[in-house]
Amino acid sequence: MVTHIVMIKFKTETPKDKILEIKRDLEELVDSIDELKFMEVGLNFANSDRAMDLVLTAKFDDKDGLKVYANAPSHLKVKDKIKEYGEYTKVVDYINE
């Protein structure tokens, strides 16, 4: 199994409703991409300079599933929104052993 974790820091001027919209859009990807086996999206509540605003954890059977997800039109649409409102992102992909 492959785990894909993304953390997003939004621009300070990003409205809360846009962040909630992106969260919802990410959660709905599990319904449109068969290779996506699990998706959990959380919003940060910690008040720390090093804190990110949103984290997602996604799981796939293998690297090929992650590749399909990465190029899926529904994912690319959400990714464009993240690029518009995000300041930066961090990602970790690993194989569960």
Side-chain angles (χ1 to χ4, degrees):
M1 179 143 294
V2 170
T3 300
H4 172 67
I5 299 173
V6 178
M7 295 181 293
I8 303 167
K9 183 70 169 179
F10 290 102
K11 297 173 186 171
T12 54
E13 66 272 12
T14 301
K16 181 72 171 181
D17 65 320
K18 279 295 171 189
I19 295 172
L20 292 173
E21 178 183 315
I22 289 169
K23 178 183 185 295
R24 183 182 63 247
D25 291 347
L26 287 165
E27 290 169 336
E28 290 174 355
L29 291 176
V30 75
D31 297 327
S32 65
I33 304 170
D34 291 339
E35 290 78 7
L36 177 56
K37 302 304 180 187
F38 170 85
M39 172 73 79
E40 181 177 70
V41 183
L43 297 175
N44 176 54
F45 64 83
N47 189 9
S48 168
D49 290 340
R50 63 189 189 119
M52 302 294 277
D53 297 312
L54 181 147
V55 64
L56 75 85
T57 303
K59 295 196 178 275
F60 307 88
D61 287 336
D62 50 34
K63 289 180 183 179
D64 290 336
L66 176 58
K67 185 184 255 186
V68 169
Y69 165 82
N71 295 300
S74 56
H75 173 254
L76 295 174
K77 185 176 176 182
V78 179
K79 193 173 175 181
D80 286 342
K81 278 189 199 177
I82 292 169
K83 286 180 182 179
E84 180 178 353
Y85 294 103
E87 187 174 328
Y88 61 91
T89 62
K90 301 290 183 179
V91 65
V92 174
D93 295 319
Y94 62 93
I95 296 173
N96 303 81
E97 297 191 31

